[in-house]
Amino acid sequence: MVSVVVAASLTGGTAAASTGSSADPVGISPTYTLGGGAIGCVGTVDAHYDPNALFFGQNPTIWVRPEFTFVPGVFQTPYCGVEATLRWKNLDTGASGVFPGRPVPLGDDTPLSPTDGLWVPMTAPTGVGRIEVQIDTNFPHVPGRGTIVVD
């Protein structure tokens, strides 16, 4: 059984903590980021943890998706993207790591409208306990953060 507590914060502000049953998805604050591939590429990497939506049974699975706004160039493909990594720390055991070894490419090809990007799984061998997660990109960004508890 997985029980979840979230305490997401961004730049010193704290989101309301929520506890829930194993069926409750947990939001992680968005990663605000610049991106590459188009003019004026800026947006977010949205993320959540849903204990009922695991990637091949791997727990935890953090699902991420890009949402960018940009102006497509005349001689460019309409695309804006980043490479994302998931940093994690088990607050109970002290174990930590970065997933994956090579960053995950995330992109959006809908310049001035909502993304049609798929949710991409990021998994990590965190073990049980309180797991602090952080989503980073390869461009200047404010990382998304959250804490989940895996029993």
mmCIF file of all heavy atoms in Angstrom, residues 96-131:
data_model
loop_
_atom_site.group_PDB
_atom_site.id
_atom_site.type_symbol
_atom_site.label_atom_id
_atom_site.label_comp_id
_atom_site.label_asym_id
_atom_site.label_seq_id
_atom_site.Cartn_x
_atom_site.Cartn_y
_atom_site.Cartn_z
ATOM 1 N N SER A 96 20.048 8.720 -2.185
ATOM 2 C CA SER A 96 19.665 9.747 -3.151
ATOM 3 C C SER A 96 20.199 9.360 -4.522
ATOM 4 O O SER A 96 21.022 8.455 -4.651
ATOM 5 C CB SER A 96 20.210 11.114 -2.740
ATOM 6 O OG SER A 96 21.630 11.097 -2.735
ATOM 7 N N GLY A 97 19.707 10.055 -5.533
ATOM 8 C CA GLY A 97 20.168 9.773 -6.873
ATOM 9 C C GLY A 97 19.542 10.698 -7.891
ATOM 10 O O GLY A 97 18.749 11.576 -7.555
ATOM 11 N N VAL A 98 19.921 10.483 -9.129
ATOM 12 C CA VAL A 98 19.393 11.242 -10.263
ATOM 13 C C VAL A 98 18.924 10.227 -11.294
ATOM 14 O O VAL A 98 19.617 9.258 -11.587
ATOM 15 C CB VAL A 98 20.468 12.156 -10.888
ATOM 16 C CG1 VAL A 98 19.921 12.877 -12.104
ATOM 17 C CG2 VAL A 98 21.000 13.142 -9.868
ATOM 18 N N PHE A 99 17.714 10.437 -11.815
ATOM 19 C CA PHE A 99 17.186 9.574 -12.868
ATOM 20 C C PHE A 99 16.846 10.441 -14.060
ATOM 21 O O PHE A 99 16.269 11.504 -13.890
ATOM 22 C CB PHE A 99 15.922 8.834 -12.414
ATOM 23 C CG PHE A 99 15.337 7.996 -13.512
ATOM 24 C CD1 PHE A 99 15.785 6.713 -13.719
ATOM 25 C CD2 PHE A 99 14.379 8.512 -14.363
ATOM 26 C CE1 PHE A 99 15.278 5.934 -14.757
ATOM 27 C CE2 PHE A 99 13.856 7.755 -15.404
ATOM 28 C CZ PHE A 99 14.314 6.455 -15.584
ATOM 29 N N PRO A 100 17.084 9.999 -15.222
ATOM 30 C CA PRO A 100 17.905 8.849 -15.588
ATOM 31 C C PRO A 100 19.357 9.271 -15.675
ATOM 32 O O PRO A 100 19.684 10.436 -15.459
ATOM 33 C CB PRO A 100 17.362 8.467 -16.950
ATOM 34 C CG PRO A 100 16.940 9.775 -17.550
ATOM 35 C CD PRO A 100 16.463 10.622 -16.382
ATOM 36 N N GLY A 101 20.224 8.321 -16.059
ATOM 37 C CA GLY A 101 21.627 8.647 -16.270
ATOM 38 C C GLY A 101 21.777 9.688 -17.364
ATOM 39 O O GLY A 101 22.558 10.613 -17.261
ATOM 40 N N ARG A 102 20.968 9.535 -18.427
ATOM 41 C CA ARG A 102 20.896 10.537 -19.493
ATOM 42 C C ARG A 102 19.544 11.227 -19.374
ATOM 43 O O ARG A 102 18.524 10.571 -19.210
ATOM 44 C CB ARG A 102 21.029 9.872 -20.852
ATOM 45 C CG ARG A 102 22.404 9.229 -21.030
ATOM 46 C CD ARG A 102 22.523 8.578 -22.359
ATOM 47 N NE ARG A 102 22.315 9.583 -23.400
ATOM 48 C CZ ARG A 102 22.365 9.310 -24.682
ATOM 49 N NH1 ARG A 102 22.584 8.088 -25.090
ATOM 50 N NH2 ARG A 102 22.163 10.264 -25.575
ATOM 51 N N PRO A 103 19.507 12.564 -19.466
ATOM 52 C CA PRO A 103 18.235 13.281 -19.319
ATOM 53 C C PRO A 103 17.181 12.848 -20.337
ATOM 54 O O PRO A 103 17.499 12.382 -21.423
ATOM 55 C CB PRO A 103 18.617 14.744 -19.540
ATOM 56 C CG PRO A 103 20.074 14.799 -19.246
ATOM 57 C CD PRO A 103 20.635 13.462 -19.666
ATOM 58 N N VAL A 104 15.912 13.022 -19.951
ATOM 59 C CA VAL A 104 14.768 12.678 -20.798
ATOM 60 C C VAL A 104 14.395 13.898 -21.645
ATOM 61 O O VAL A 104 14.129 14.969 -21.099
ATOM 62 C CB VAL A 104 13.559 12.266 -19.927
ATOM 63 C CG1 VAL A 104 12.307 12.098 -20.768
ATOM 64 C CG2 VAL A 104 13.866 11.010 -19.147
ATOM 65 N N PRO A 105 14.377 13.760 -22.995
ATOM 66 C CA PRO A 105 13.951 14.887 -23.825
ATOM 67 C C PRO A 105 12.429 15.060 -23.747
ATOM 68 O O PRO A 105 11.683 14.103 -23.866
ATOM 69 C CB PRO A 105 14.387 14.479 -25.236
ATOM 70 C CG PRO A 105 14.557 13.003 -25.198
ATOM 71 C CD PRO A 105 14.818 12.608 -23.779
ATOM 72 N N LEU A 106 12.012 16.295 -23.522
ATOM 73 C CA LEU A 106 10.591 16.644 -23.476
ATOM 74 C C LEU A 106 10.373 17.821 -24.407
ATOM 75 O O LEU A 106 11.109 18.801 -24.342
ATOM 76 C CB LEU A 106 10.162 17.055 -22.062
ATOM 77 C CG LEU A 106 10.268 16.017 -20.965
ATOM 78 C CD1 LEU A 106 9.987 16.658 -19.615
ATOM 79 C CD2 LEU A 106 9.307 14.880 -21.225
ATOM 80 N N GLY A 107 9.366 17.738 -25.262
ATOM 81 C CA GLY A 107 9.129 18.821 -26.185
ATOM 82 C C GLY A 107 7.659 19.050 -26.467
ATOM 83 O O GLY A 107 6.816 18.204 -26.193
ATOM 84 N N ASP A 108 7.386 20.215 -27.009
ATOM 85 C CA ASP A 108 6.026 20.659 -27.316
ATOM 86 C C ASP A 108 6.057 21.236 -28.727
ATOM 87 O O ASP A 108 6.917 22.049 -29.044
ATOM 88 C CB ASP A 108 5.625 21.719 -26.284
ATOM 89 C CG ASP A 108 4.207 22.224 -26.427
ATOM 90 O OD1 ASP A 108 3.505 21.857 -27.385
ATOM 91 O OD2 ASP A 108 3.800 23.017 -25.555
ATOM 92 N N ASP A 109 5.135 20.808 -29.583
ATOM 93 C CA ASP A 109 5.092 21.346 -30.944
ATOM 94 C C ASP A 109 3.790 22.085 -31.223
ATOM 95 O O ASP A 109 3.320 22.136 -32.351
ATOM 96 C CB ASP A 109 5.331 20.239 -31.977
ATOM 97 C CG ASP A 109 4.291 19.127 -31.910
ATOM 98 O OD1 ASP A 109 3.358 19.219 -31.094
ATOM 99 O OD2 ASP A 109 4.416 18.175 -32.692
ATOM 100 N N THR A 110 3.213 22.666 -30.168
ATOM 101 C CA THR A 110 1.997 23.474 -30.304
ATOM 102 C C THR A 110 2.324 24.890 -29.855
ATOM 103 O O THR A 110 2.159 25.228 -28.681
ATOM 104 C CB THR A 110 0.850 22.873 -29.461
ATOM 105 O OG1 THR A 110 1.294 22.746 -28.112
ATOM 106 C CG2 THR A 110 0.441 21.507 -29.989
ATOM 107 N N PRO A 111 2.802 25.752 -30.773
ATOM 108 C CA PRO A 111 3.363 27.056 -30.401
ATOM 109 C C PRO A 111 2.519 27.926 -29.473
ATOM 110 O O PRO A 111 2.993 28.357 -28.445
ATOM 111 C CB PRO A 111 3.568 27.753 -31.742
ATOM 112 C CG PRO A 111 3.624 26.674 -32.746
ATOM 113 C CD PRO A 111 2.787 25.558 -32.215
ATOM 114 N N LEU A 112 1.304 28.205 -29.820
ATOM 115 C CA LEU A 112 0.517 29.172 -29.050
ATOM 116 C C LEU A 112 -0.759 28.553 -28.493
ATOM 117 O O LEU A 112 -1.730 29.256 -28.241
ATOM 118 C CB LEU A 112 0.193 30.395 -29.917
ATOM 119 C CG LEU A 112 1.435 31.137 -30.449
ATOM 120 C CD1 LEU A 112 1.033 32.190 -31.466
ATOM 121 C CD2 LEU A 112 2.221 31.758 -29.307
ATOM 122 N N SER A 113 -0.759 27.253 -28.298
ATOM 123 C CA SER A 113 -1.950 26.577 -27.778
ATOM 124 C C SER A 113 -1.525 25.515 -26.767
ATOM 125 O O SER A 113 -0.339 25.216 -26.640
ATOM 126 C CB SER A 113 -2.740 25.955 -28.925
ATOM 127 O OG SER A 113 -1.948 25.024 -29.623
ATOM 128 N N PRO A 114 -2.474 24.932 -26.045
ATOM 129 C CA PRO A 114 -2.127 23.900 -25.058
ATOM 130 C C PRO A 114 -1.384 22.733 -25.704
ATOM 131 O O PRO A 114 -1.608 22.400 -26.861
ATOM 132 C CB PRO A 114 -3.489 23.442 -24.513
ATOM 133 C CG PRO A 114 -4.404 24.593 -24.762
ATOM 134 C CD PRO A 114 -3.904 25.241 -26.037
ATOM 135 N N THR A 115 -0.508 22.129 -24.937
ATOM 136 C CA THR A 115 0.330 21.043 -25.445
ATOM 137 C C THR A 115 -0.483 19.814 -25.832
ATOM 138 O O THR A 115 -1.553 19.570 -25.297
ATOM 139 C CB THR A 115 1.384 20.636 -24.393
ATOM 140 O OG1 THR A 115 2.278 19.698 -24.992
ATOM 141 C CG2 THR A 115 0.763 19.983 -23.175
ATOM 142 N N ASP A 116 0.060 19.070 -26.777
ATOM 143 C CA ASP A 116 -0.500 17.770 -27.091
ATOM 144 C C ASP A 116 0.508 16.683 -26.695
ATOM 145 O O ASP A 116 0.409 15.542 -27.112
ATOM 146 C CB ASP A 116 -0.871 17.661 -28.570
ATOM 147 C CG ASP A 116 0.327 17.835 -29.493
ATOM 148 O OD1 ASP A 116 1.459 18.067 -29.008
ATOM 149 O OD2 ASP A 116 0.154 17.747 -30.717
ATOM 150 N N GLY A 117 1.496 17.091 -25.872
ATOM 151 C CA GLY A 117 2.535 16.161 -25.443
ATOM 152 C C GLY A 117 2.004 15.071 -24.527
ATOM 153 O O GLY A 117 1.044 15.268 -23.782
ATOM 154 N N LEU A 118 2.647 13.916 -24.611
ATOM 155 C CA LEU A 118 2.278 12.789 -23.771
ATOM 156 C C LEU A 118 2.925 12.900 -22.402
ATOM 157 O O LEU A 118 3.970 13.522 -22.244
ATOM 158 C CB LEU A 118 2.739 11.485 -24.435
ATOM 159 C CG LEU A 118 2.170 11.188 -25.815
ATOM 160 C CD1 LEU A 118 2.828 9.941 -26.387
ATOM 161 C CD2 LEU A 118 0.675 11.020 -25.741
ATOM 162 N N TRP A 119 2.309 12.266 -21.397
ATOM 163 C CA TRP A 119 2.915 12.140 -20.079
ATOM 164 C C TRP A 119 4.014 11.097 -20.180
ATOM 165 O O TRP A 119 3.803 10.017 -20.715
ATOM 166 C CB TRP A 119 1.874 11.740 -19.042
ATOM 167 C CG TRP A 119 0.929 12.852 -18.703
ATOM 168 C CD1 TRP A 119 -0.301 13.061 -19.230
ATOM 169 C CD2 TRP A 119 1.165 13.907 -17.775
ATOM 170 N NE1 TRP A 119 -0.855 14.191 -18.676
ATOM 171 C CE2 TRP A 119 0.019 14.725 -17.779
ATOM 172 C CE3 TRP A 119 2.226 14.241 -16.937
ATOM 173 C CZ2 TRP A 119 -0.091 15.863 -16.986
ATOM 174 C CZ3 TRP A 119 2.113 15.373 -16.140
ATOM 175 C CH2 TRP A 119 0.976 16.178 -16.159
ATOM 176 N N VAL A 120 5.195 11.426 -19.707
ATOM 177 C CA VAL A 120 6.368 10.567 -19.796
ATOM 178 C C VAL A 120 6.724 10.071 -18.392
ATOM 179 O O VAL A 120 6.816 10.869 -17.455
ATOM 180 C CB VAL A 120 7.557 11.347 -20.406
ATOM 181 C CG1 VAL A 120 8.815 10.504 -20.426
ATOM 182 C CG2 VAL A 120 7.202 11.845 -21.800
ATOM 183 N N PRO A 121 6.957 8.747 -18.226
ATOM 184 C CA PRO A 121 7.288 8.222 -16.903
ATOM 185 C C PRO A 121 8.758 8.415 -16.554
ATOM 186 O O PRO A 121 9.636 8.254 -17.395
ATOM 187 C CB PRO A 121 6.965 6.734 -17.027
ATOM 188 C CG PRO A 121 7.222 6.427 -18.471
ATOM 189 C CD PRO A 121 6.822 7.675 -19.224
ATOM 190 N N MET A 122 9.011 8.772 -15.306
ATOM 191 C CA MET A 122 10.362 8.809 -14.757
ATOM 192 C C MET A 122 10.323 7.986 -13.471
ATOM 193 O O MET A 122 9.527 8.281 -12.581
ATOM 194 C CB MET A 122 10.815 10.239 -14.486
ATOM 195 C CG MET A 122 10.883 11.100 -15.739
ATOM 196 S SD MET A 122 11.396 12.791 -15.404
ATOM 197 C CE MET A 122 13.167 12.609 -15.482
ATOM 198 N N THR A 123 11.147 6.963 -13.395
ATOM 199 C CA THR A 123 11.153 6.087 -12.231
ATOM 200 C C THR A 123 12.519 6.140 -11.561
ATOM 201 O O THR A 123 13.515 6.502 -12.182
ATOM 202 C CB THR A 123 10.843 4.635 -12.631
ATOM 203 O OG1 THR A 123 11.849 4.192 -13.533
ATOM 204 C CG2 THR A 123 9.477 4.532 -13.288
ATOM 205 N N ALA A 124 12.547 5.767 -10.298
ATOM 206 C CA ALA A 124 13.810 5.784 -9.565
ATOM 207 C C ALA A 124 13.755 4.732 -8.464
ATOM 208 O O ALA A 124 12.696 4.503 -7.876
ATOM 209 C CB ALA A 124 14.050 7.165 -8.965
ATOM 210 N N PRO A 125 14.878 4.098 -8.150
ATOM 211 C CA PRO A 125 14.915 3.066 -7.107
ATOM 212 C C PRO A 125 15.032 3.685 -5.711
ATOM 213 O O PRO A 125 16.042 3.545 -5.031
ATOM 214 C CB PRO A 125 16.164 2.261 -7.477
ATOM 215 C CG PRO A 125 17.077 3.275 -8.091
ATOM 216 C CD PRO A 125 16.163 4.220 -8.841
ATOM 217 N N THR A 126 13.984 4.356 -5.273
ATOM 218 C CA THR A 126 14.034 5.125 -4.033
ATOM 219 C C THR A 126 13.864 4.290 -2.774
ATOM 220 O O THR A 126 14.261 4.714 -1.700
ATOM 221 C CB THR A 126 12.929 6.193 -4.022
ATOM 222 O OG1 THR A 126 11.659 5.531 -4.026
ATOM 223 C CG2 THR A 126 13.038 7.126 -5.210
ATOM 224 N N GLY A 127 13.214 3.127 -2.879
ATOM 225 C CA GLY A 127 12.855 2.361 -1.690
ATOM 226 C C GLY A 127 11.668 3.012 -0.997
ATOM 227 O O GLY A 127 11.080 3.972 -1.503
ATOM 228 N N VAL A 128 11.301 2.480 0.158
ATOM 229 C CA VAL A 128 10.159 3.029 0.897
ATOM 230 C C VAL A 128 10.615 4.175 1.778
ATOM 231 O O VAL A 128 11.780 4.287 2.129
ATOM 232 C CB VAL A 128 9.459 1.937 1.742
ATOM 233 C CG1 VAL A 128 8.897 0.847 0.849
ATOM 234 C CG2 VAL A 128 10.407 1.359 2.769
ATOM 235 N N GLY A 129 9.667 5.034 2.126
ATOM 236 C CA GLY A 129 9.960 6.170 3.000
ATOM 237 C C GLY A 129 9.441 7.467 2.417
ATOM 238 O O GLY A 129 8.710 7.483 1.430
ATOM 239 N N ARG A 130 9.856 8.549 3.039
ATOM 240 C CA ARG A 130 9.516 9.886 2.545
ATOM 241 C C ARG A 130 10.525 10.245 1.470
ATOM 242 O O ARG A 130 11.721 10.313 1.735
ATOM 243 C CB ARG A 130 9.561 10.908 3.681
ATOM 244 C CG ARG A 130 8.505 10.673 4.745
ATOM 245 C CD ARG A 130 8.665 11.615 5.926
ATOM 246 N NE ARG A 130 9.954 11.359 6.568
ATOM 247 C CZ ARG A 130 10.812 12.298 6.966
ATOM 248 N NH1 ARG A 130 10.515 13.574 6.819
ATOM 249 N NH2 ARG A 130 11.960 11.980 7.520
ATOM 250 N N ILE A 131 10.015 10.485 0.256
ATOM 251 C CA ILE A 131 10.877 10.725 -0.895
ATOM 252 C C ILE A 131 10.687 12.157 -1.374
ATOM 253 O O ILE A 131 9.594 12.543 -1.761
ATOM 254 C CB ILE A 131 10.570 9.753 -2.060
ATOM 255 C CG1 ILE A 131 10.457 8.310 -1.581
ATOM 256 C CG2 ILE A 131 11.590 9.932 -3.167
ATOM 257 C CD1 ILE A 131 11.685 7.745 -0.918
#
